[in-house]
Structures are given as C-alpha cells and as structure tokens.
Amino acid sequence: SQTIHQWPATLVQPVGSPLSLECTVEGTSNPNLYWYRQAAGRGLQLLFYSVGIGQISSEVPQNLSASRPQDRQFILSSKKLLLSDSGFYLCAWSVRSERLTDTQYFGPGTRLTVL
Amino acid sequence: SQQGEEDPQALSIQEGENATMNCSYKTSINNLQWYRQNSGRGLVHLILIRSNEREKHSGRLRVTLDTSKKSSSLLITASRAADTASYFCATPQGGKLQFGAGTQVVVTP
C-alpha cells in the first residue's frame, strides 16, 4: 500500500532563518506531487506541484521554493522565512497523470510557526 | 475566486443525528470530491462523484451532485463522535484541484 511521510511534524523557526520540509512517498512510482499551505480555519492553497523529477510548477509567487531530487521525494524550502510563512504545510500525491484533478492522498502535515 | 464553497461553516450535532453540508461551485466540472480533516492532521479522501452521477454512497456517507444547480451535498448518517472533523469539497478549476474553506462538524456524545 502507499504511504506518504512528512517531517518534521512541527517546527518553530525565527524570522529570516532557512527552511527545509521533506515529503516522501512509498508504494507508488512516478506520482504527481503537491505542496499546499493551510492557514488556520481555512482551505488549502496550492503552492507547488510536480509531474516528474526536476519538474516544478509554482502557483503562488513567494519566498518559497520546491525541488524534486528523486521520484518520490519532494522538498519545500526557503532561504529566509517571513512571519507570513507560518501555517500548516501539507504534501500530497496523486497517480501520475497530466490531470492534476484526480484523487489526492495527503501526508500528516507540518505545523510551521515563524516567530 | 473560490470555486467550491461549503455551507454551513460550522455544524454542531449530537451523536446519532444526521449531518448535512453543501458545496456550491461556479464553473462546469467533471468530478467533485469530498475530503475529511481531523484536527491537526492531513486530509483524507472520502468520495469522488463524477458529473454523470447524481448520487453516490460509501458506508454512512451519501453524496449528491446537481450539475444544473452547481451544487453537491454530503450527508453523514447516524453520526458518531469520531465524525468530528472539517469536511472539504474539492473541484477542478484551471486544471488544478481547488478546495473550499470547509465545514467544521462537531458531534457531541
């Protein structure tokens, strides 16, 4: 069966510090991968998606970046965090397809607090 | 603009009661999905209904889709305390899946 991992589960970082969140998927090959951010009590904002190694599409201009160094690994990074980067970050995968609207399977999330 | 919007924003019921929440969307879709999120956790896919389907069941869940009204409903029958969660509808927009702000459901014993 497929599983998706995210770490760390929680993170408290000072403003201006770097960030690296990792997501890995097991039990499937060539998945589409997604990074979302969720503000408290709100819906999900799509940040990045990837349909293959090294292929990253950004949805929202910001100081975050994403990389996919391996087929089932997706990393969210920042060189300098802002207060507004605080939130709940969710990684998700879906079956490899040109469609990005198929069922998505989510990781447990990372709670980021920037102070 | 928000493609899928859930209504109500919050719902409080007692165990055994039914819970109904609605999702309205703006543009034509080929499918609509419902997800559940327990507090502080990731989303879990519940059900996908295609545009040519009117109703779909999964256990105690019943989803309807009315494409003429551009709306969907999720019914949870005989609710349990474990159903306490936020429920989101997700619809395709611009080739991506867009999630609403969710309905927060609290089921009290």
Side-chain angles (χ1 to χ4, degrees), chain A residues 81-109:
Chain A
L81 284 168
L82 307 172
L83 286 173
S84 58
D85 291 324
S86 293
F88 192 50
Y89 288 83
L90 290 159
C91 180
W93 71 272
S94 65
V95 172
R96 176 64 178 272
S97 169
E98 290 186 357
R99 289 191 312 272
L100 302 175
T101 56
D102 292 337
T103 297
Q104 295 184 11
Y105 303 93
F106 286 80

PDB file of all heavy atoms in Angstrom, chain A residues 81-109:
ATOM      1  N   LEU A  81      12.816  32.891   6.102  1.00  0.00           N
ATOM      2  CA  LEU A  81      11.411  32.828   6.451  1.00  0.00           C
ATOM      3  C   LEU A  81      10.840  34.186   6.844  1.00  0.00           C
ATOM      4  O   LEU A  81      11.520  35.013   7.453  1.00  0.00           O
ATOM      5  CB  LEU A  81      11.204  31.851   7.606  1.00  0.00           C
ATOM      6  CG  LEU A  81      11.261  30.366   7.247  1.00  0.00           C
ATOM      7  CD1 LEU A  81      11.330  29.520   8.503  1.00  0.00           C
ATOM      8  CD2 LEU A  81      10.078  29.978   6.382  1.00  0.00           C
ATOM      9  N   LEU A  82       9.565  34.368   6.497  1.00  0.00           N
ATOM     10  CA  LEU A  82       8.812  35.541   6.907  1.00  0.00           C
ATOM     11  C   LEU A  82       7.749  35.121   7.917  1.00  0.00           C
ATOM     12  O   LEU A  82       7.364  33.940   7.967  1.00  0.00           O
ATOM     13  CB  LEU A  82       8.114  36.181   5.693  1.00  0.00           C
ATOM     14  CG  LEU A  82       8.985  36.518   4.488  1.00  0.00           C
ATOM     15  CD1 LEU A  82       8.119  36.954   3.327  1.00  0.00           C
ATOM     16  CD2 LEU A  82       9.997  37.599   4.845  1.00  0.00           C
ATOM     17  N   LEU A  83       7.247  36.079   8.683  1.00  0.00           N
ATOM     18  CA  LEU A  83       6.169  35.765   9.626  1.00  0.00           C
ATOM     19  C   LEU A  83       4.977  35.151   8.898  1.00  0.00           C
ATOM     20  O   LEU A  83       4.329  34.226   9.400  1.00  0.00           O
ATOM     21  CB  LEU A  83       5.725  37.029  10.363  1.00  0.00           C
ATOM     22  CG  LEU A  83       6.657  37.567  11.438  1.00  0.00           C
ATOM     23  CD1 LEU A  83       6.145  38.908  11.953  1.00  0.00           C
ATOM     24  CD2 LEU A  83       6.813  36.578  12.589  1.00  0.00           C
ATOM     25  N   SER A  84       4.711  35.639   7.699  1.00  0.00           N
ATOM     26  CA  SER A  84       3.555  35.184   6.923  1.00  0.00           C
ATOM     27  C   SER A  84       3.707  33.755   6.406  1.00  0.00           C
ATOM     28  O   SER A  84       2.763  33.190   5.852  1.00  0.00           O
ATOM     29  CB  SER A  84       3.311  36.126   5.740  1.00  0.00           C
ATOM     30  OG  SER A  84       4.461  36.196   4.923  1.00  0.00           O
ATOM     31  N   ASP A  85       4.883  33.161   6.583  1.00  0.00           N
ATOM     32  CA  ASP A  85       5.077  31.771   6.155  1.00  0.00           C
ATOM     33  C   ASP A  85       4.522  30.776   7.174  1.00  0.00           C
ATOM     34  O   ASP A  85       4.467  29.576   6.899  1.00  0.00           O
ATOM     35  CB  ASP A  85       6.564  31.491   5.921  1.00  0.00           C
ATOM     36  CG  ASP A  85       7.097  32.224   4.705  1.00  0.00           C
ATOM     37  OD1 ASP A  85       6.358  32.367   3.715  1.00  0.00           O
ATOM     38  OD2 ASP A  85       8.271  32.669   4.757  1.00  0.00           O
ATOM     39  N   SER A  86       4.132  31.264   8.336  1.00  0.00           N
ATOM     40  CA  SER A  86       3.551  30.363   9.334  1.00  0.00           C
ATOM     41  C   SER A  86       2.297  29.702   8.770  1.00  0.00           C
ATOM     42  O   SER A  86       1.519  30.325   8.042  1.00  0.00           O
ATOM     43  CB  SER A  86       3.178  31.144  10.597  1.00  0.00           C
ATOM     44  OG  SER A  86       4.316  31.631  11.256  1.00  0.00           O
ATOM     45  N   GLY A  87       2.119  28.443   9.134  1.00  0.00           N
ATOM     46  CA  GLY A  87       0.938  27.736   8.658  1.00  0.00           C
ATOM     47  C   GLY A  87       1.126  26.243   8.749  1.00  0.00           C
ATOM     48  O   GLY A  87       2.116  25.748   9.285  1.00  0.00           O
ATOM     49  N   PHE A  88       0.163  25.542   8.203  1.00  0.00           N
ATOM     50  CA  PHE A  88       0.187  24.084   8.186  1.00  0.00           C
ATOM     51  C   PHE A  88       0.481  23.665   6.748  1.00  0.00           C
ATOM     52  O   PHE A  88      -0.279  23.980   5.837  1.00  0.00           O
ATOM     53  CB  PHE A  88      -1.175  23.565   8.669  1.00  0.00           C
ATOM     54  CG  PHE A  88      -1.219  22.108   8.972  1.00  0.00           C
ATOM     55  CD1 PHE A  88      -0.259  21.516   9.780  1.00  0.00           C
ATOM     56  CD2 PHE A  88      -2.236  21.314   8.473  1.00  0.00           C
ATOM     57  CE1 PHE A  88      -0.307  20.155  10.080  1.00  0.00           C
ATOM     58  CE2 PHE A  88      -2.302  19.963   8.763  1.00  0.00           C
ATOM     59  CZ  PHE A  88      -1.339  19.380   9.566  1.00  0.00           C
ATOM     60  N   TYR A  89       1.586  22.965   6.554  1.00  0.00           N
ATOM     61  CA  TYR A  89       2.035  22.593   5.213  1.00  0.00           C
ATOM     62  C   TYR A  89       1.725  21.127   4.963  1.00  0.00           C
ATOM     63  O   TYR A  89       2.102  20.246   5.738  1.00  0.00           O
ATOM     64  CB  TYR A  89       3.534  22.863   5.060  1.00  0.00           C
ATOM     65  CG  TYR A  89       3.835  24.335   4.974  1.00  0.00           C
ATOM     66  CD1 TYR A  89       3.938  25.108   6.128  1.00  0.00           C
ATOM     67  CD2 TYR A  89       3.966  24.969   3.742  1.00  0.00           C
ATOM     68  CE1 TYR A  89       4.170  26.474   6.051  1.00  0.00           C
ATOM     69  CE2 TYR A  89       4.210  26.333   3.654  1.00  0.00           C
ATOM     70  CZ  TYR A  89       4.306  27.071   4.821  1.00  0.00           C
ATOM     71  OH  TYR A  89       4.540  28.425   4.742  1.00  0.00           O
ATOM     72  N   LEU A  90       1.062  20.912   3.879  1.00  0.00           N
ATOM     73  CA  LEU A  90       0.622  19.565   3.523  1.00  0.00           C
ATOM     74  C   LEU A  90       1.218  19.144   2.191  1.00  0.00           C
ATOM     75  O   LEU A  90       1.191  19.899   1.220  1.00  0.00           O
ATOM     76  CB  LEU A  90      -0.897  19.501   3.439  1.00  0.00           C
ATOM     77  CG  LEU A  90      -1.636  19.616   4.771  1.00  0.00           C
ATOM     78  CD1 LEU A  90      -3.068  20.056   4.555  1.00  0.00           C
ATOM     79  CD2 LEU A  90      -1.603  18.283   5.501  1.00  0.00           C
ATOM     80  N   CYS A  91       1.729  17.945   2.166  1.00  0.00           N
ATOM     81  CA  CYS A  91       2.211  17.327   0.938  1.00  0.00           C
ATOM     82  C   CYS A  91       1.173  16.313   0.501  1.00  0.00           C
ATOM     83  O   CYS A  91       0.525  15.666   1.339  1.00  0.00           O
ATOM     84  CB  CYS A  91       3.562  16.662   1.192  1.00  0.00           C
ATOM     85  SG  CYS A  91       4.296  15.849  -0.248  1.00  0.00           S
ATOM     86  N   ALA A  92       1.003  16.159  -0.788  1.00  0.00           N
ATOM     87  CA  ALA A  92       0.034  15.189  -1.304  1.00  0.00           C
ATOM     88  C   ALA A  92       0.579  14.565  -2.574  1.00  0.00           C
ATOM     89  O   ALA A  92       1.462  15.118  -3.237  1.00  0.00           O
ATOM     90  CB  ALA A  92      -1.312  15.859  -1.566  1.00  0.00           C
ATOM     91  N   TRP A  93       0.036  13.390  -2.900  1.00  0.00           N
ATOM     92  CA  TRP A  93       0.397  12.758  -4.159  1.00  0.00           C
ATOM     93  C   TRP A  93      -0.870  12.290  -4.855  1.00  0.00           C
ATOM     94  O   TRP A  93      -1.913  12.098  -4.254  1.00  0.00           O
ATOM     95  CB  TRP A  93       1.367  11.588  -3.950  1.00  0.00           C
ATOM     96  CG  TRP A  93       0.761  10.365  -3.318  1.00  0.00           C
ATOM     97  CD1 TRP A  93       0.646  10.104  -1.988  1.00  0.00           C
ATOM     98  CD2 TRP A  93       0.198   9.249  -4.008  1.00  0.00           C
ATOM     99  NE1 TRP A  93       0.042   8.891  -1.797  1.00  0.00           N
ATOM    100  CE2 TRP A  93      -0.243   8.331  -3.019  1.00  0.00           C
ATOM    101  CE3 TRP A  93       0.019   8.913  -5.357  1.00  0.00           C
ATOM    102  CZ2 TRP A  93      -0.841   7.109  -3.337  1.00  0.00           C
ATOM    103  CZ3 TRP A  93      -0.575   7.712  -5.682  1.00  0.00           C
ATOM    104  CH2 TRP A  93      -1.006   6.818  -4.666  1.00  0.00           C
ATOM    105  N   SER A  94      -0.755  12.125  -6.166  1.00  0.00           N
ATOM    106  CA  SER A  94      -1.825  11.512  -6.942  1.00  0.00           C
ATOM    107  C   SER A  94      -1.161  10.648  -8.008  1.00  0.00           C
ATOM    108  O   SER A  94       0.038  10.778  -8.281  1.00  0.00           O
ATOM    109  CB  SER A  94      -2.742  12.557  -7.576  1.00  0.00           C
ATOM    110  OG  SER A  94      -2.056  13.339  -8.534  1.00  0.00           O
ATOM    111  N   VAL A  95      -1.942   9.770  -8.576  1.00  0.00           N
ATOM    112  CA  VAL A  95      -1.428   8.889  -9.616  1.00  0.00           C
ATOM    113  C   VAL A  95      -0.895   9.735 -10.772  1.00  0.00           C
ATOM    114  O   VAL A  95      -1.495  10.748 -11.140  1.00  0.00           O
ATOM    115  CB  VAL A  95      -2.532   7.929 -10.096  1.00  0.00           C
ATOM    116  CG1 VAL A  95      -2.070   7.134 -11.306  1.00  0.00           C
ATOM    117  CG2 VAL A  95      -2.946   6.994  -8.968  1.00  0.00           C
ATOM    118  N   ARG A  96       0.233   9.326 -11.327  1.00  0.00           N
ATOM    119  CA  ARG A  96       0.864  10.076 -12.403  1.00  0.00           C
ATOM    120  C   ARG A  96      -0.092  10.271 -13.562  1.00  0.00           C
ATOM    121  O   ARG A  96      -0.657   9.324 -14.088  1.00  0.00           O
ATOM    122  CB  ARG A  96       2.108   9.323 -12.894  1.00  0.00           C
ATOM    123  CG  ARG A  96       2.791   9.962 -14.091  1.00  0.00           C
ATOM    124  CD  ARG A  96       3.350  11.322 -13.766  1.00  0.00           C
ATOM    125  NE  ARG A  96       4.045  11.914 -14.882  1.00  0.00           N
ATOM    126  CZ  ARG A  96       5.325  11.735 -15.170  1.00  0.00           C
ATOM    127  NH1 ARG A  96       6.053  10.942 -14.406  1.00  0.00           N
ATOM    128  NH2 ARG A  96       5.875  12.317 -16.193  1.00  0.00           N
ATOM    129  N   SER A  97      -0.286  11.503 -13.904  1.00  0.00           N
ATOM    130  CA  SER A  97      -1.234  11.840 -14.958  1.00  0.00           C
ATOM    131  C   SER A  97      -1.016  13.283 -15.334  1.00  0.00           C
ATOM    132  O   SER A  97      -0.517  14.072 -14.536  1.00  0.00           O
ATOM    133  CB  SER A  97      -2.664  11.640 -14.448  1.00  0.00           C
ATOM    134  OG  SER A  97      -3.608  12.188 -15.340  1.00  0.00           O
ATOM    135  N   GLU A  98      -1.405  13.626 -16.521  1.00  0.00           N
ATOM    136  CA  GLU A  98      -1.391  15.041 -16.894  1.00  0.00           C
ATOM    137  C   GLU A  98      -2.500  15.785 -16.165  1.00  0.00           C
ATOM    138  O   GLU A  98      -2.440  17.007 -16.019  1.00  0.00           O
ATOM    139  CB  GLU A  98      -1.556  15.187 -18.404  1.00  0.00           C
ATOM    140  CG  GLU A  98      -0.341  14.721 -19.178  1.00  0.00           C
ATOM    141  CD  GLU A  98      -0.465  15.000 -20.663  1.00  0.00           C
ATOM    142  OE1 GLU A  98      -1.522  15.511 -21.083  1.00  0.00           O
ATOM    143  OE2 GLU A  98       0.497  14.716 -21.383  1.00  0.00           O
ATOM    144  N   ARG A  99      -3.512  15.039 -15.722  1.00  0.00           N
ATOM    145  CA  ARG A  99      -4.579  15.653 -14.939  1.00  0.00           C
ATOM    146  C   ARG A  99      -4.082  15.873 -13.519  1.00  0.00           C
ATOM    147  O   ARG A  99      -3.529  14.975 -12.891  1.00  0.00           O
ATOM    148  CB  ARG A  99      -5.823  14.759 -14.890  1.00  0.00           C
ATOM    149  CG  ARG A  99      -6.595  14.644 -16.171  1.00  0.00           C
ATOM    150  CD  ARG A  99      -7.933  13.945 -15.896  1.00  0.00           C
ATOM    151  NE  ARG A  99      -7.768  12.740 -15.114  1.00  0.00           N
ATOM    152  CZ  ARG A  99      -7.538  11.539 -15.647  1.00  0.00           C
ATOM    153  NH1 ARG A  99      -7.430  11.411 -16.945  1.00  0.00           N
ATOM    154  NH2 ARG A  99      -7.408  10.477 -14.872  1.00  0.00           N
ATOM    155  N   LEU A 100      -4.329  17.046 -13.022  1.00  0.00           N
ATOM    156  CA  LEU A 100      -3.961  17.367 -11.635  1.00  0.00           C
ATOM    157  C   LEU A 100      -5.195  17.365 -10.749  1.00  0.00           C
ATOM    158  O   LEU A 100      -5.144  17.853  -9.622  1.00  0.00           O
ATOM    159  CB  LEU A 100      -3.291  18.746 -11.596  1.00  0.00           C
ATOM    160  CG  LEU A 100      -2.052  18.884 -12.472  1.00  0.00           C
ATOM    161  CD1 LEU A 100      -1.550  20.320 -12.443  1.00  0.00           C
ATOM    162  CD2 LEU A 100      -0.943  17.948 -12.019  1.00  0.00           C
ATOM    163  N   THR A 101      -6.288  16.837 -11.267  1.00  0.00           N
ATOM    164  CA  THR A 101      -7.554  16.903 -10.542  1.00  0.00           C
ATOM    165  C   THR A 101      -8.044  15.535 -10.092  1.00  0.00           C
ATOM    166  O   THR A 101      -9.191  15.384  -9.708  1.00  0.00           O
ATOM    167  CB  THR A 101      -8.625  17.579 -11.420  1.00  0.00           C
ATOM    168  OG1 THR A 101      -8.732  16.857 -12.657  1.00  0.00           O
ATOM    169  CG2 THR A 101      -8.261  19.024 -11.692  1.00  0.00           C
ATOM    170  N   ASP A 102      -7.173  14.538 -10.149  1.00  0.00           N
ATOM    171  CA  ASP A 102      -7.536  13.216  -9.640  1.00  0.00           C
ATOM    172  C   ASP A 102      -7.479  13.211  -8.121  1.00  0.00           C
ATOM    173  O   ASP A 102      -7.006  14.160  -7.492  1.00  0.00           O
ATOM    174  CB  ASP A 102      -6.590  12.157 -10.205  1.00  0.00           C
ATOM    175  CG  ASP A 102      -6.776  11.951 -11.697  1.00  0.00           C
ATOM    176  OD1 ASP A 102      -7.858  12.270 -12.216  1.00  0.00           O
ATOM    177  OD2 ASP A 102      -5.830  11.459 -12.344  1.00  0.00           O
ATOM    178  N   THR A 103      -7.925  12.122  -7.542  1.00  0.00           N
ATOM    179  CA  THR A 103      -7.894  11.968  -6.087  1.00  0.00           C
ATOM    180  C   THR A 103      -6.483  12.184  -5.565  1.00  0.00           C
ATOM    181  O   THR A 103      -5.512  11.658  -6.120  1.00  0.00           O
ATOM    182  CB  THR A 103      -8.380  10.572  -5.694  1.00  0.00           C
ATOM    183  OG1 THR A 103      -9.740  10.434  -6.102  1.00  0.00           O
ATOM    184  CG2 THR A 103      -8.287  10.374  -4.187  1.00  0.00           C
ATOM    185  N   GLN A 104      -6.383  12.957  -4.494  1.00  0.00           N
ATOM    186  CA  GLN A 104      -5.090  13.223  -3.885  1.00  0.00           C
ATOM    187  C   GLN A 104      -5.026  12.592  -2.505  1.00  0.00           C
ATOM    188  O   GLN A 104      -6.027  12.524  -1.786  1.00  0.00           O
ATOM    189  CB  GLN A 104      -4.835  14.731  -3.810  1.00  0.00           C
ATOM    190  CG  GLN A 104      -4.717  15.351  -5.204  1.00  0.00           C
ATOM    191  CD  GLN A 104      -4.362  16.820  -5.190  1.00  0.00           C
ATOM    192  OE1 GLN A 104      -4.005  17.392  -4.166  1.00  0.00           O
ATOM    193  NE2 GLN A 104      -4.446  17.446  -6.362  1.00  0.00           N
ATOM    194  N   TYR A 105      -3.825  12.156  -2.150  1.00  0.00           N
ATOM    195  CA  TYR A 105      -3.588  11.470  -0.878  1.00  0.00           C
ATOM    196  C   TYR A 105      -2.585  12.308  -0.095  1.00  0.00           C
ATOM    197  O   TYR A 105      -1.483  12.564  -0.580  1.00  0.00           O
ATOM    198  CB  TYR A 105      -3.075  10.055  -1.121  1.00  0.00           C
ATOM    199  CG  TYR A 105      -4.035   9.255  -1.977  1.00  0.00           C
ATOM    200  CD1 TYR A 105      -3.882   9.210  -3.362  1.00  0.00           C
ATOM    201  CD2 TYR A 105      -5.107   8.579  -1.408  1.00  0.00           C
ATOM    202  CE1 TYR A 105      -4.776   8.503  -4.154  1.00  0.00           C
ATOM    203  CE2 TYR A 105      -6.002   7.869  -2.193  1.00  0.00           C
ATOM    204  CZ  TYR A 105      -5.839   7.846  -3.561  1.00  0.00           C
ATOM    205  OH  TYR A 105      -6.729   7.154  -4.346  1.00  0.00           O
ATOM    206  N   PHE A 106      -2.981  12.676   1.106  1.00  0.00           N
ATOM    207  CA  PHE A 106      -2.225  13.665   1.863  1.00  0.00           C
ATOM    208  C   PHE A 106      -1.348  13.048   2.945  1.00  0.00           C
ATOM    209  O   PHE A 106      -1.687  12.023   3.545  1.00  0.00           O
ATOM    210  CB  PHE A 106      -3.188  14.660   2.521  1.00  0.00           C
ATOM    211  CG  PHE A 106      -3.782  15.638   1.557  1.00  0.00           C
ATOM    212  CD1 PHE A 106      -4.854  15.276   0.753  1.00  0.00           C
ATOM    213  CD2 PHE A 106      -3.266  16.919   1.434  1.00  0.00           C
ATOM    214  CE1 PHE A 106      -5.403  16.170  -0.156  1.00  0.00           C
ATOM    215  CE2 PHE A 106      -3.804  17.818   0.520  1.00  0.00           C
ATOM    216  CZ  PHE A 106      -4.868  17.436  -0.268  1.00  0.00           C
ATOM    217  N   GLY A 107      -0.252  13.741   3.212  1.00  0.00           N
ATOM    218  CA  GLY A 107       0.589  13.407   4.340  1.00  0.00           C
ATOM    219  C   GLY A 107       0.016  13.990   5.618  1.00  0.00           C
ATOM    220  O   GLY A 107      -0.998  14.691   5.598  1.00  0.00           O
ATOM    221  N   PRO A 108       0.688  13.739   6.746  1.00  0.00           N
ATOM    222  CA  PRO A 108       0.186  14.195   8.045  1.00  0.00           C
ATOM    223  C   PRO A 108       0.384  15.685   8.302  1.00  0.00           C
ATOM    224  O   PRO A 108      -0.192  16.224   9.239  1.00  0.00           O
ATOM    225  CB  PRO A 108       0.979  13.361   9.051  1.00  0.00           C
ATOM    226  CG  PRO A 108       2.235  13.027   8.324  1.00  0.00           C
ATOM    227  CD  PRO A 108       1.868  12.872   6.887  1.00  0.00           C
ATOM    228  N   GLY A 109       1.208  16.340   7.486  1.00  0.00           N
ATOM    229  CA  GLY A 109       1.381  17.780   7.624  1.00  0.00           C
ATOM    230  C   GLY A 109       2.522  18.185   8.537  1.00  0.00           C
ATOM    231  O   GLY A 109       2.985  17.401   9.385  1.00  0.00           O
TER     232      GLY A 109
END
